[in-house]
Amino acid sequence: MTDSKYFTTTKKGEIFELKAELNSDKKEKKKEAVKKVIASMTVGKDVSALFPDVVNCMQTDNLELKKLVYLYLMNYAKSQPDMAIMAVNTFVKDCEDPNPLIRALAVRTMGCIRVDKITEYLCEPLRKCLKDEDPYVRKTAAVCVAKLHDINAQLVEDQGFLDTLKDLISDSNPMVVANAVAALSEIAESHPSSNLLDLNPQSINKLLTALNECTEWGQIFILDCLANYTPKDDREAQSICERVTPRLSHANSAVVLSAVKVLMKFMEMLSKDLDYYGTLLKKLAPPLVTLLSAEPELQYVALRNINLIVQKRPEILKHEMKVFFVKYNDPIYVKLEKLDIMIRLASQANIAQVLAELKEYATEVDVDFVRKAVRAIGRCAIKVEQSAERCVSTLLDLIQTKVNYVVQEAIVVIKDIFRKYPNKYESVIATLCENLDSLDEPEARAAMIWIVGEYAERIDNADELLESFLEGFHDESTQVQLQLLTAIVKLFLKKPTETQELVQQVLSLATQDSDNPDLRDRGYIYWRLLSTDPVAAKEVVLAEKPLISEETDLIEPTLLDELICYIGTLASVYHKPPSAFVEGGRGVVHKSLPPRTASSESTESPETAPAGAPSSEQPDVIPTQGDLLGDLLNLDLGPPVSGPPLATSSVQMGAVDLLGGGLDSLMGDEPEGIGGPNFVAPPAAAVPANLGASMGSGLSDLFDLTSGVGTLSGSYVAPKAVWLPAMKAKGLEISGTFTRQVGSISMDLQLTNKALQVMTDFAIQFNRNSFGLAPAAPLQVHAPLSPNQTVEISLPLNTVGSVMKMEPLNNLQVAVKNNIDVFYFSTLYPLHILFVEDGKMDRQMFLATWKDIPNENEAQFQIRDCPLNAEAVSGRLQSSNIFTVAKRNVEGQDMLYQSLKLTNGIWVLAELRIQPGNPSFTDLELSLKCRAPEVSQHVYQAYETILKN
Amino acid sequence: MISQFFILSSKGDPLIYKDFRGDSGGRDVAELFYRKLTGLPGDESPVVMHHDDRHFIHIRHSGLYLVATTSENISPFSLLELLSRLATLLGDYCGSLSEGTISRNVALVYELLDEVLDYGYVQTTSMEMLRNFIQTEAVVSKPFSLFDLSSVGLFGAETQQSKVAPSSAASRPVLTSRSDQSQKNEVFLDVVERLSVLIASNGSLLKVDVQGEIRLKSFLPSGSEMRIGLTEEFCVGKSELRGYGPGIRVDEVSFHSSVLLEEFESHRILRLQPPQGELTVMRYQLSDDLPSPLPFRLFPSVQWDRGSGRLQVYLKLRCDLPPKSQALNVRLHLPLPRGVVSLSQELSGPEQTAELGEGALRWDLPRVQGGSQLSGLFQMDVPGLPGPPGQAPSTSAPLGLGPASLSFELPRHTCSGLQVRFLRLAFRPCGNANPHKWVRHLSHSDAYVIRV
């Protein structure tokens, strides 16, 4: 007998033995057998073969045995659905057992058996259990509804279980309430539109009452549910806050954080002058501090949340700096998080303390932590001006230690300090230069080279220093190469006499020997600048740089507000909105903070719509995402070279042409932003912008605005409307309109940076469209767009782009790129921008054409309540290139015969009958004839827009 | 909501696996978790990890991993709290939490899980509630003997010294079989304080922080009442000072929900009817303003000769405890610059030891009497450190030296001065011996750091 045979027989034997034991008469033996089965199940052995035998043990009055059998069933019912049916009868019987434990057990287990056939048997027992006299059974049944809903949502709705569940919110037992709230919240999440959790002042009151009575876990469900409610005014917000505040001293940190979430959210509605506001701020600090004495896991999660809270309301923890001091035995992830918060809390008042700490950290052994500490010193200098001097001397001390990674980090941050406080601390340059040789990381080398180039005139041997870097030019990383190129050009412009050779060398290295397009392009542009106009080159290369912004690592305000609504959840740990990491199937409702109400009488309607508020109020951005993305992503987003460049820029276009696509990459990659204001002056945008245009209104509003101001000359210009809201474009907001003036079409854009970071590198591209609209020149944003800055640009358009019929016809899909990302939006352009100046037909021709076009191509429209008479109508239309060919008066009604031509050569003929209505208004009847009848609708809209504004 | 819960052994083998929501992942999830955990880069936090749509939250307890997974945006706090409650519960039910006890009590663990969590919603973690539902009895490996004093160490606090109570007395199931009543009448009460201190290199005190708690483990029948009398001078908050006496003051106190406080204001007595098992009766904290002097002062002096690479560290350690008290298991840990090769030392006592390890100097002092002063002179060679040769010996420390940290235990000592005056039981023993009461005070270091 071989070994393997031996083993197989025992294995068979084991199952066989268990089978025998399961069928034994003795209860004890049965119980032991089922336990053994469960133990085998846990370690992964397949014991499904015992299914019938285990089910046979189900009918017993021994609760322990019954529980064990149920446990087995939950595990294997799915794989043996036919067998599971055998158990149904016992389940149903157990649901009527006099013992509430057995009733609850049966209903709980049935819910866990995810077999369709069983669910239909589940309904009746579940209905009874939901109304059971025992709260233990009711609370189990409440959860069972959620289980059943997950398996068969329709069934739950048909059976009316949801209503019963809603009734349970008013149950006398807090455990039942908590489970009902939890189940409803979850069901509501998958049906954002169903108003399942109808939160109103009455139900909120009930929840607040249950809050005081139920277990800590129930309190979490209830607090999370409260956080979704929007109080109607600040008084209600305050009263809820008052009742939630006691939860802050709960021992369970989850309860504390859920309470913090509710308070942070509702605080938004309280006026800052209120005494209560100050009290609340004071009450929030101690529980947060207490969390930091918990185990490291909890500390870490708490710190991530505190990081958000500190950014939103720094005043809460401003006096608690000491608790964020790093302990030597903290895990590294806790240390790094604490460091981050320390800097956020740093202010003039505590900076001395913070710096002393940071200096200590910089001498510790953990390399990652030391690096971060050195960086933190630099961030302090930039954040708190008064401390800059002390920070610099601290950094110099650290450089003296000669520890390689410390020196490198220090040099990188000193570069930033120079950028923030120019001409203040340059005396330290000599010390920095001493350490040139020890730098081996690209970032530090690049920083050092930048410093040498920037202050070349103060460093005697700057040329030697830079030359030494040049020797291994090809082995350097791109970052260093680019920096070296710029630095040497700067040096040349400052000391032209002795460095000619050096600059030639670097330019040839960059342009001839390099495969890197960025480097090559930058090399060419310097070369050309230097060879054509050294004075201009000086102005460009040595231009004054904008100061760097204080805190670049803050979370954007819009995202921060959203994250505040998710305090105490995974989102607050990842610092990402839930939509970024929760599977798409569940409806993730976008949350936002309630608006601050100024007074208790405020009637401002809260923007936090209840679950499922239609987001369609936003201008529709890309209706059919799928195919469009495919289209646009294939496009090259560099500056378009199609279409003749308009002679709007003040520099020789030749240079730009030659440089091709390199220009914008150069502008973007230059970290110190060699400010290119001299390259291209954007065409002056002389567009009357109607600032009264309601932001965020739908596109349809564009044509309905009655408050628009018409231009005196040129065709009608609609007021600017928001095309791309900042929410959808990482902080870039684009609003715009279209104009046509003296034969040229342009798109007037207003770009607003609502993010925290500087935006550069703008480019625009249109998708193919019905009339071949395309940008005639690249999008020229002359300087980086700093936060909160707005820039107006007029982008000239032509109609020689490629054509594709769009739906609707005047739909234009646009992609805008900046250094952050590429964004897509679509807009509708008014057709009259396409009406050309030579659109006047002579009378004979008009008559012939009118007859020639078949009658089915004629379309009729009404324009009511036009405030103009025939004379004015004709005049106004003419300025938008709709020409009156003839005019006559029939039975007291003016008839105008008009013609217009589109850029693609399509003629549209019109007959306009003007019926005097009441004294000041007229009704117009418009008949349009055109060989391409699909344009008629849009021509009519253009008429209406022009005439009504 | 929680999708799955599992317990892994320290080697990553699944001991318990429970799926609450019909998750498709199955058992592979446990393996995925373990792979992810072991492959995590050092500076990333292992607390919350995710793989695709599945998020893992875990704690490590007695060498086991307790892991919960979820696919929704739920509160990590509640998961962490739940996991640590589960660890306590399992400990209470199975005696102690270990690979052996878990695998012997699989059925019991599953039964517990079913009552604690339904469809991933937490139902209850209260011992009191659960005992109504749990049917299975714990399987205990060895018969427990009260007189087995061979290995010592109390429940909860990880200490090795005090021979106060038998170790296994506390590590047995709270709910042993219902018939066995003989050994149940025991109560353990611990006042444990954790001390974290930060002292600057010039000797000034930057931060003192005491985290204290009173922990109770009761084997008495549930509902039996007890009263705990605290030091009468005990007061809470900054303004509340009583007379001229040495006030025992703490900044903040929180109590377990089962504690009745009507006698607290007048007599500083806590009345409670604890459930069986372990619970934290009271938690308090005190910062900055300590009533007694710090237990230790360290006076370091450093001689550093860059030229020869010779580093000489002289450490003087003074223990400021009252003369009758002593500190145990004192260990001084001093990180050294990279590349230290040799060590020669002169220590003030024979039982002390010092050695190099993991880039640091370790100086062990098994026992330090209050009021005593100990010293050590350490000489090391650090050849690798950069620096211009031929400089005179300087006193400025090289990079990477320090800060020194101390770890120690102070038996029968509380830094805040809080004491338990009495522990009275209203419990009437039914024919058995009087209940045993064990009260203990202990302070130990959390992070006691002295910068050099």
Side-chain angles (χ1 to χ4, degrees):
Chain A
M1 198 198 290
T2 64
D3 277 2
S4 66
K5 211 168 184 183
Y6 177 76
F7 278 120
T8 43
T9 47
T10 41
K11 213 166 186 185
K12 252 182 200 158
E14 194 178 67
I15 295 279
F16 185 76
E17 243 169 57
L18 282 172
K19 217 178 179 95
E21 282 178 42
L22 284 171
N23 292 319
S24 149
D25 297 333
K26 289 186 191 134
K27 255 182 208 156
E28 276 310 305
K29 212 159 193 183
K30 270 190 184 176
K31 201 156 70 185
E32 284 314 305
V34 180
K35 275 190 187 172
K36 278 185 207 159
V37 169
I38 286 169
S40 320
M41 190 173 89
T42 305
V43 291
K45 279 184 205 156
D46 183 17
V47 283
S48 57
L50 294 168
F51 200 93
D53 306 281
V54 178
V55 170
N56 274 341
C57 302
M58 200 168 155
Q59 274 164 316
T60 169
D61 46 4
N62 182 314
L63 190 53
E64 188 184 353
L65 180 56
K66 193 175 274 274
K67 278 189 142 180
L68 292 170
V69 174
Y70 276 16
L71 185 63
Y72 176 90
L73 275 178
M74 274 190 250
N75 232 312
Y76 283 113
K78 182 122 206 196
S79 56
Q80 313 238 350
D82 295 331
M83 299 277 236
I85 294 289
M86 287 164 42
V88 162
N89 270 336
T90 321
F91 275 128
V92 175
K93 216 173 93 204
D94 281 354
C95 285
E96 311 206 333
D97 197 278
N99 184 345
L101 288 185
I102 292 184
R103 292 201 297 275
L105 181 65
V107 94
R108 184 173 72 202
T109 312
M110 272 179 101
C112 291
I113 297 179
R114 306 174 65 88
V115 175
D116 274 336
K117 281 183 202 156
I118 288 198
T119 51
E120 46 194 278
Y121 295 98
L122 180 57
C123 292
E124 273 323 300
L126 179 57
R127 197 186 315 281
K128 272 184 205 148
C129 288
L130 279 168
K131 304 221 159 106
D132 199 282
E133 56 186 20
D134 192 293
Y136 181 71
V137 181
R138 287 202 301 276
K139 71 131 189 155
T140 312
V143 176
C144 190
V145 175
K147 293 178 190 169
L148 190 59
H149 185 269
D150 191 40
I151 304 168
N152 191 341
Q154 196 56 43
L155 186 70
V156 171
E157 276 170 42
D158 295 346
Q159 298 278 335
F161 285 139
L162 292 182
D163 294 321
T164 325
L165 202 53
K166 274 193 220 168
D167 295 341
L168 287 183
I169 290 190
S170 322
D171 198 278
S172 58
N173 184 300
M175 274 292 278
V176 181
V177 179
N179 274 1
V181 169
L184 275 177
S185 305
E186 181 164 343
I187 295 172
E189 243 174 62
S190 56
H191 289 278
S193 53
S194 70
N195 199 11
L196 271 182
L197 263 178
D198 180 25
L199 295 176
N200 52 47
Q202 289 75 40
S203 61
I204 289 293
N205 204 28
K206 265 183 218 153
L207 289 180
L208 284 168
T209 313
L211 185 61
N212 292 327
E213 292 164 1
C214 64
T215 68
E216 47 194 327
W217 307 106
Q219 293 182 15
I220 299 170
F221 295 139
I222 293 179
L223 285 169
D224 287 347
C225 181
L226 278 178
N228 290 330
Y229 175 66
T230 310
K232 61 181 190 304
D233 55 32
D234 57 346
R235 241 180 263 151
E236 193 187 1
Q238 179 174 345
S239 89
I240 296 176
C241 285
E242 275 164 2
R243 295 178 71 177
V244 168
T245 320
R247 299 297 129 208
L248 287 177
S249 49
H250 201 283
N252 186 325
S253 63
V255 177
V256 175
L257 257 290
S258 290
V260 168
K261 169 165 63 183
V262 174
L263 294 175
M264 283 294 284
K265 210 176 156 188
F266 289 2
M267 251 174 125
E268 198 66 18
M269 295 186 68
L270 300 177
S271 154
K272 286 197 175 180
D273 320 322
L274 226 57
D275 286 346
Y276 183 69
Y277 183 83
T279 324
L280 205 53
L281 276 185
K282 278 202 201 90
K283 281 190 179 154
L284 276 170
L288 294 175
V289 171
T290 309
L291 287 176
L292 295 182
S293 54
E295 336 37 304
E297 290 91 1
L298 270 178
Q299 268 190 55
Y300 172 75
V301 179
L303 284 167
R304 294 290 284 177
N305 279 283
I306 290 173
N307 202 330
L308 292 177
I309 294 172
V310 162
Q311 289 185 51
K312 181 74 189 164
R313 299 194 186 282
E315 62 271 30
I316 294 178
L317 287 165
K318 66 181 172 197
H319 298 303
E320 305 289 349
M321 177 61 92
K322 270 190 188 175
V323 299
F324 298 106
F325 282 5
V326 171
K327 284 188 200 165
Y328 83 99
N329 51 354
D330 282 334
I332 178 75
Y333 52 88
V334 170
K335 284 186 177 173
L336 295 178
E337 216 47 50
K338 281 187 173 173
L339 205 55
D340 210 42
I341 295 173
M342 278 173 72
I343 296 165
R344 294 201 198 286
L345 285 176
S347 66
Q348 204 181 337
N350 56 21
I351 192 75
Q353 211 181 10
V354 174
L355 264 184
E357 278 297 304
L358 291 177
K359 196 176 171 187
E360 287 292 337
Y361 301 162
T363 60
E364 283 204 13
V365 270
D366 190 321
V367 177
D368 286 333
F369 182 56
V370 170
R371 280 172 183 276
K372 187 116 190 216
V374 177
R375 289 236 164 166
I377 296 176
R379 278 170 67 189
C380 280
I382 291 166
K383 189 169 179 213
V384 185
E385 183 161 4
Q386 292 80 1
S387 74
E389 189 153 355
R390 211 168 341 176
C391 293
V392 172
S393 75
T394 308
L395 288 170
L396 282 181
D397 285 351
L398 290 173
I399 288 177
Q400 296 299 350
T401 62
K402 308 272 175 200
V403 176
N404 190 290
Y405 53 88
V406 176
V407 174
Q408 309 211 36
E409 272 322 302
I411 286 180
V412 172
V413 294
I414 285 182
K415 179 204 74 186
D416 287 342
I417 296 177
F418 284 169
R419 290 280 318 271
K420 173 77 180 174
Y421 309 108
N423 303 319
K424 235 173 150 180
Y425 301 110
E426 282 74 12
S427 53
V428 307
I429 290 176
T431 323
L432 302 186
C433 290
E434 286 166 20
N435 294 287
L436 213 58
D437 301 332
S438 63
L439 308 180
D440 53 11
E441 290 163 24
E443 202 180 352
R445 284 172 84 85
M448 193 63 221
I449 292 170
W450 182 86
I451 293 173
V452 173
E454 187 66 20
Y455 298 101
E457 68 274 23
R458 307 183 191 206
I459 305 171
D460 297 333
N461 58 345
D463 48 345
E464 285 170 36
L465 294 178
L466 292 176
E467 199 169 0
S468 68
F469 280 106
L470 206 54
E471 280 160 20
F473 189 77
H474 289 296
D475 303 329
E476 300 282 4
S477 72
T478 313
Q479 189 185 13
V480 180
Q481 288 177 336
L482 286 169
Q483 211 50 258
L484 193 53
L485 171 61
T486 306
I488 290 179
V489 172
K490 280 183 193 165
L491 173 70
F492 171 71
L493 290 167
K494 287 174 178 175
K495 298 180 184 174
T497 46
E498 59 245 68
T499 55
Q500 213 148 10
E501 200 179 318
L502 192 62
V503 81
Q504 299 236 305
Q505 204 184 335
V506 77
L507 285 175
S508 81
L509 277 172
T511 52
Q512 285 158 26
D513 301 348
S514 170
D515 295 333
N516 185 321
D518 284 351
L519 184 65
R520 219 168 44 217
D521 290 342
R522 195 188 284 195
Y524 274 124
I525 204 166
Y526 283 142
W527 202 326
R528 268 167 227 271
L529 263 174
L530 292 173
S531 57
T532 43
D533 189 352
V535 181
K538 207 162 182 168
E539 272 174 37
V540 171
V541 178
L542 303 180
E544 194 145 322
K545 285 161 285 295
L547 296 182
I548 55 171
S549 60
E550 279 188 13
E551 281 190 73
T552 47
D553 59 337
L554 284 178
I555 298 176
E556 284 179 36
T558 41
L559 178 60
L560 180 62
D561 281 355
E562 189 180 352
L563 289 178
I564 288 287
C565 300
Y566 289 110
I567 280 182
T569 68
L570 287 174
S572 67
V573 178
Y574 294 130
H575 288 186
K576 284 180 196 160
S579 49
F581 60 84
V582 172
E583 58 185 297
R586 298 212 179 265
V588 177
V589 182
H590 177 82
K591 292 187 187 174
S592 58
L593 288 175
R596 182 175 291 281
T597 46
S599 73
S600 57
E601 303 303 316
S602 170
T603 53
E604 192 182 348
S605 69
E607 267 176 51
T608 41
S615 60
S616 55
E617 279 185 26
Q618 306 279 0
D620 72 320
V621 174
I622 308 296
T624 52
Q625 200 128 19
D627 50 353
L628 177 78
L629 279 182
D631 253 0
L632 282 177
L633 285 176
N634 291 331
L635 297 176
D636 172 24
L637 278 162
V641 281
S642 67
L646 289 199
T648 45
S649 64
S650 60
V651 278
Q652 302 106 316
M653 289 307 282
V656 179
D657 259 349
L658 270 174
L659 289 163
L663 182 60
D664 72 330
S665 73
L666 170 63
M667 310 271 277
D669 286 342
E670 187 75 50
E672 75 269 45
I674 55 155
N678 301 28
F679 278 104
V680 182
V687 184
N690 184 351
L691 295 172
S694 61
M695 306 284 261
S697 62
L699 269 177
S700 55
D701 284 5
L702 228 159
F703 302 107
D704 295 335
L705 285 169
T706 47
S707 59
V709 186
T711 40
L712 291 173
S713 65
S715 57
Y716 166 72
V717 179
K720 284 197 179 113
V722 178
W723 286 343
L724 182 66
M727 285 284 288
K728 298 207 174 175
K730 303 187 179 165
L732 175 67
E733 183 177 278
I734 300 181
S735 50
T737 184
F738 294 92
T739 63
R740 181 182 185 95
Q741 270 174 325
V742 239
S744 59
I745 310 168
S746 53
M747 185 175 189
D748 290 341
L749 292 169
Q750 179 174 323
L751 308 180
T752 306
N753 183 352
K754 295 195 170 175
L756 281 165
Q757 64 187 113
V758 173
M759 296 183 179
T760 54
D761 237 351
F762 287 95
I764 195 164
Q765 188 79 38
F766 293 175
N767 195 11
R768 286 185 292 170
N769 54 69
S770 316
F771 293 94
L773 277 177
L779 183 63
Q780 305 285 7
V781 180
H782 54 81
L785 195 57
S786 27
N788 281 323
Q789 198 191 342
T790 297
V791 65
E792 305 232 353
I793 298 151
S794 182
L795 178 74
L797 307 182
N798 59 29
T799 52
V800 301
S802 34
V803 175
M804 179 177 77
K805 195 173 163 195
M806 296 298 290
E807 187 53 47
L809 204 63
N810 57 344
N811 189 10
L812 179 65
Q813 297 176 331
V814 182
V816 170
K817 185 195 91 150
N818 62 11
N819 56 331
I820 300 169
D821 207 343
V822 181
F823 312 107
Y824 304 93
F825 63 89
S826 74
T827 178
L828 301 176
Y829 49 88
L831 212 63
H832 67 262
I833 61 165
L834 302 171
F835 299 170
V836 296
E837 278 69 17
D838 59 344
K840 183 155 184 172
M841 228 179 220
D842 71 47
R843 289 183 183 213
Q844 296 305 319
M845 184 74 168
F846 184 90
L847 222 60
T849 318
W850 186 270
K851 283 184 183 150
D852 199 32
I853 298 175
N855 276 341
E856 58 263 31
N857 278 13
E858 184 170 343
Q860 302 228 336
F861 304 94
Q862 294 281 333
I863 302 172
R864 300 222 169 268
D865 298 338
C866 172
L868 303 167
N869 60 16
E871 199 85 352
V873 165
S874 172
R876 186 170 293 188
L877 291 174
Q878 174 123 22
S879 64
S880 293
N881 295 342
I882 302 174
F883 301 96
T884 306
V885 178
K887 179 179 166 184
R888 61 181 177 146
N889 193 304
V890 184
E891 298 155 10
Q893 295 180 346
D894 284 318
M895 303 282 284
L896 298 179
Y897 297 92
Q898 298 176 313
S899 72
L900 62 95
K901 192 168 92 172
L902 298 176
T903 46
N904 55 359
I906 294 179
W907 285 92
V908 180
L909 309 184
E911 182 192 71
L912 194 61
R913 181 194 299 268
I914 301 176
Q915 299 162 322
N918 59 42
S920 52
F921 293 101
T922 49
D923 285 346
L924 308 181
E925 207 180 288
L926 179 67
S927 303
L928 293 175
K929 263 194 164 181
C930 177
R931 289 192 198 280
E934 55 267 44
V935 303
S936 302
Q937 176 67 30
H938 301 283
V939 172
Y940 153 68
Q941 280 171 4
Y943 261 87
E944 187 161 34
T945 313
I946 295 165
L947 291 175
K948 289 214 169 162
N949 289 293
Chain B
M1 305 309 112
I2 297 167
S3 305
Q4 290 144 319
F5 169 81
F6 43 89
I7 301 181
L8 300 187
S9 74
S10 53
K11 294 192 275 320
D13 306 322
L15 303 175
I16 295 290
Y17 170 85
K18 177 90 189 159
D19 171 27
F20 294 102
R21 305 219 133 195
D23 194 294
S24 54
R27 277 156 197 284
D28 303 341
V29 176
E31 204 192 314
L32 179 72
F33 163 80
Y34 193 71
R35 272 211 313 273
K36 216 154 160 80
L37 183 76
T38 43
L40 204 70
D43 57 339
E44 257 178 54
S45 152
V47 182
V48 181
M49 300 185 296
H50 70 104
H51 182 85
D52 298 334
D53 285 333
R54 192 175 277 116
H55 307 269
F56 298 99
I57 292 186
H58 82 281
I59 63 167
R60 202 162 173 199
H61 203 289
S62 322
L64 303 177
Y65 296 99
L66 281 79
V67 192
T69 77
T70 176
S71 57
E72 281 166 59
N73 181 33
I74 65 170
S75 161
F77 291 96
S78 60
L79 294 190
L80 287 169
E81 287 276 354
L82 172 75
L83 292 177
S84 64
R85 298 291 173 85
L86 273 174
T88 320
L89 269 179
L90 294 176
D92 279 349
Y93 270 96
C94 306
S96 65
L97 191 57
S98 73
E99 198 173 329
T101 50
I102 292 294
S103 47
R104 269 195 299 275
N105 289 295
V106 171
L108 172 64
V109 175
Y110 280 123
E111 194 182 354
L112 263 173
L113 282 176
D114 265 337
E115 295 296 344
V116 171
L117 286 158
D118 190 4
Y119 198 48
Y121 302 125
V122 186
Q123 299 297 304
T124 179
T125 48
S126 130
M127 187 83 182
E128 213 37 28
M129 295 263 258
L130 287 169
R131 57 182 296 136
N132 298 324
F133 311 133
I134 300 300
Q135 309 292 326
T136 317
E137 280 176 25
V139 181
V140 189
S141 55
K142 275 177 281 179
F144 155 74
S145 156
L146 184 66
F147 305 103
D148 176 18
L149 290 164
S150 55
S151 65
V152 283
L154 259 191
F155 80 92
E158 287 146 12
T159 71
Q160 299 91 40
Q161 78 298 344
S162 48
K163 303 209 170 199
V164 189
S167 69
S168 48
S171 63
R172 62 184 160 101
V174 174
L175 303 172
T176 43
S177 61
R178 288 161 189 78
S179 56
D180 176 23
Q181 292 285 330
S182 57
Q183 292 153 348
K184 291 185 76 178
N185 304 331
E186 280 184 303
V187 181
F188 299 83
L189 190 69
D190 272 3
V191 181
V192 183
E193 293 188 349
R194 284 185 296 155
L195 180 66
S196 39
V197 170
L198 181 57
I199 300 172
S201 46
N202 61 6
S204 67
L205 193 59
L206 292 176
K207 190 179 120 174
V208 193
D209 205 4
V210 176
Q211 311 279 345
E213 55 190 28
I214 299 181
R215 279 190 294 212
L216 177 79
K217 185 157 185 173
S218 162
F219 290 93
L220 300 177
S222 282
S224 50
E225 186 179 300
M226 61 177 74
R227 295 162 78 225
I228 303 170
L230 304 178
T231 323
E232 282 188 358
E233 295 85 4
F234 183 72
C235 63
V236 182
K238 302 217 172 186
S239 56
E240 206 182 326
L241 281 172
R242 295 183 163 194
Y244 297 100
I248 308 293
R249 194 191 60 78
V250 298
D251 292 338
E252 259 190 56
V253 184
S254 62
F255 298 98
H256 188 264
S257 53
S258 69
V259 179
L260 301 170
L261 293 172
E262 63 264 1
E263 283 180 90
F264 180 69
E265 277 307 311
S266 51
H267 297 100
R268 301 299 175 197
I269 291 170
L270 308 173
R271 205 154 62 78
L272 68 161
Q273 299 190 339
Q276 283 189 332
E278 211 179 312
L279 71 101
T280 303
V281 177
M282 177 175 121
R283 237 186 257 274
Y284 55 95
Q285 64 189 51
L286 164 63
S287 38
D288 288 341
D289 195 11
L290 220 56
S292 53
L294 285 177
F296 288 104
R297 283 276 175 182
L298 182 73
F299 304 95
S301 66
V302 179
Q303 288 274 314
W304 164 229
D305 181 3
R306 278 197 175 168
S308 63
R310 174 151 291 239
L311 179 64
Q312 179 177 307
V313 181
Y314 180 68
L315 299 174
K316 200 165 73 179
L317 184 69
R318 196 179 75 205
C319 179
D320 289 339
L321 290 171
K324 279 184 186 165
S325 306
Q326 60 177 0
L328 296 176
N329 299 331
V330 182
R331 169 175 288 183
L332 186 138
H333 181 91
L334 180 71
L336 296 171
R338 267 149 218 257
V340 168
V341 282
S342 65
L343 172 73
S344 65
Q345 75 251 36
E346 283 172 47
L347 305 173
S348 59
E351 77 282 7
Q352 305 168 16
T353 54
E355 57 184 273
L356 289 177
E358 294 167 6
L361 168 72
R362 216 174 62 213
W363 183 20
D364 283 320
L365 310 106
R367 196 172 289 265
V368 179
Q369 201 66 35
S372 64
Q373 189 159 314
L374 304 163
S375 62
L377 179 68
F378 307 92
Q379 287 194 325
M380 288 148 281
D381 283 321
V382 198
L385 268 192
Q391 264 185 10
S394 72
T395 49
S396 72
L399 190 99
L401 181 72
S405 56
L406 278 171
S407 64
F408 51 82
E409 285 156 16
L410 310 175
R412 292 183 287 284
H413 179 89
T414 52
C415 295
S416 65
L418 179 71
Q419 302 277 330
V420 172
R421 269 186 299 148
F422 60 79
L423 169 64
R424 284 188 197 131
L425 305 176
F427 172 63
R428 295 278 151 265
C430 41
N432 286 314
N434 271 327
H436 295 279
K437 300 181 285 187
W438 310 94
V439 179
R440 194 178 61 136
H441 297 90
L442 174 81
S443 293
H444 60 96
S445 58
D446 183 13
Y448 198 98
V449 177
I450 302 129
R451 287 177 178 162
V452 182

